Amino acid sequence: MKINIIGTSGSGKSTLARRIATELSLPYIEMDRLYWRPDWQGTPDEVLLNTLADTLAATPGWVLDGNYNRTRPVKWRDVDVVVWVDIGFTRTLWQAVTRAFKRAWHQQELWPGTGNRESFRRSFFSRESIIIWTLKTWRSNRERYEADMQNPQYAHIRFVRITRRQEAEALISSLKSHP
């Protein structure tokens, strides 16, 4: 099974992706880990697309966590299921704020080998703020994902929209019983 978990930053997509990967004994692949280099430098698109293609091809099944819309030609080419975590604006924002606070407080390296850590300044008082990113992208992501679900180009994909925790639990049960 090949699954891509998508959703706005703070929606809980990483948590759900890790859980599904564990429950189905599939590799968990984090797009942010593929993208971010030391000192918050991003990976050029050509390199990112090649790395993503190689990573996905390395195993017959996977759970991919992340949006990166420009990577769709690679990640959705053979995907079976795209799970959209759409839990609502207020909850998404709350989760983004609390996660940013915890990350800034604990200073844990986000992706091994990058040295990238959240700070209070970066999280709450800069243009690179994940909170500002969440505010800016929540509505446009919803519009994009709704359009994707109707797009004939993606007719080969089973889309699942999760709006409540109970739906996530039902999805996991369904995936476990019908691999």
Side-chain angles (χ1 to χ4, degrees), residues 2 27 29 50-62:
K2 298 173 181 176
I29 303 165
N50 288 334
T51 301
L52 177 61
D54 292 346
T55 302
L56 297 180
T59 179
W62 37 260

Side-chain angles (χ1 to χ4, degrees), residues 6-177:
I6 61 173
T8 300
S9 296
S11 65
K13 67 183 170 299
S14 299
T15 301
L16 180 60
R18 283 189 204 98
R19 175 132 183 255
I20 290 172
T22 299
E23 295 281 347
L24 300 180
S25 299
L26 291 171
Y28 167 72
I29 303 165
E30 184 181 16
M31 290 288 300
D32 282 339
R33 186 171 183 171
L34 299 178
Y35 178 73
W36 289 109
R37 294 178 171 188
D39 299 318
W40 294 100
Q41 297 300 307
T43 298
D45 284 353
E46 183 177 322
V47 175
L48 176 63
L49 293 172
N50 288 334
T51 301
L52 177 61
D54 292 346
T55 302
L56 297 180
T59 179
W62 37 260
V63 178
L64 179 65
D65 158 21
N67 301 318
Y68 293 81
N69 296 315
R70 63 196 177 278
T71 66
R72 286 179 187 177
V74 173
K75 70 180 185 173
W76 286 8
R77 180 176 37 228
D78 299 318
V79 73
D80 298 305
V81 181
V82 172
V83 179
W84 170 20
V85 182
D86 181 29
I87 58 167
F89 177 74
T90 304
R91 185 164 168 210
T92 299
L93 183 59
W94 172 253
Q95 289 179 178
V97 169
T98 56
R99 180 185 69 188
F101 183 87
K102 288 176 187 175
R103 285 180 171 180
W105 182 265
H106 293 290
Q107 285 293 294
Q108 178 181 351
E109 184 178 34
L110 299 179
W111 307 285
T114 63
N116 296 338
R117 292 172 169 75
E118 290 287 358
S119 66
F120 286 104
R121 175 189 279 160
R122 181 179 183 88
S123 294
F124 294 96
F125 306 108
S126 80
R127 287 189 177 135
E128 291 84 28
S129 166
I130 193 66
I131 296 158
I132 292 172
W133 180 255
T134 299
L135 290 166
K136 286 173 40 177
T137 61
W138 186 84
R139 183 177 307 280
S140 61
N141 281 345
R142 288 188 98 220
E143 292 167 359
R144 181 182 303 113
Y145 301 148
E146 286 173 345
D148 289 343
M149 293 172 75
Q150 306 304 318
N151 188 334
Q153 178 183 356
Y154 303 127
H156 67 285
I157 299 171
R158 175 182 166 212
F159 285 93
V160 177
R161 185 177 187 174
I162 301 292
T163 60
R164 298 186 337 262
R165 183 167 280 132
Q166 297 88 338
E167 293 170 347
E169 296 302 323
L171 172 66
I172 292 168
S173 293
S174 169
L175 291 170
K176 286 172 69 174
S177 63

